Amino acid sequence: MVFVFKTNVDSISKVKKVTPKLNRLFPNSKWNFDLEDCDNILRLECKDDIIEKVVFLMKVIGFECEAL
């Protein structure tokens, strides 16, 4: 499944802050940020339904995140 989220991660330095946490929480998934998109999209490919986990993680580390 591919999940798409609107975020406020708008720079490489912010992606670097999020990277270890996403990799640790979702080790078998593929993900990327589209910083050129107006919604700073996070795309995450994972076998499980992880919407709530992603939104919670992002908010805990200080970012806005909303499933689209």
Side-chain angles (χ1 to χ4, degrees):
M1 298 177 76
V2 176
F3 301 94
V4 179
F5 302 89
K6 175 181 177 178
T7 74
N8 66 337
V9 176
D10 59 1
S11 68
I12 295 296
S13 63
K14 290 179 181 178
V15 171
K16 288 181 180 179
K17 181 178 178 183
V18 174
T19 295
K21 292 164 179 49
L22 284 174
N23 286 339
R24 189 175 13 206
L25 192 58
F26 307 109
N28 298 319
S29 66
K30 297 178 184 178
W31 59 268
N32 71 312
F33 282 94
D34 184 352
L35 302 180
E36 294 182 15
D37 185 272
C38 64
D39 290 327
N40 299 308
I41 295 295
L42 165 61
R43 288 184 189 87
L44 201 142
E45 186 178 333
C46 187
K47 293 180 182 177
D48 303 317
D49 184 1
I50 45 77
I51 292 173
E52 291 178 17
K53 288 181 182 179
V54 172
V55 171
F56 180 76
L57 169 70
M58 295 294 285
K59 290 185 179 186
V60 164
I61 58 177
F63 294 105
E64 296 172 11
C65 184
E66 175 185 336
L68 296 178

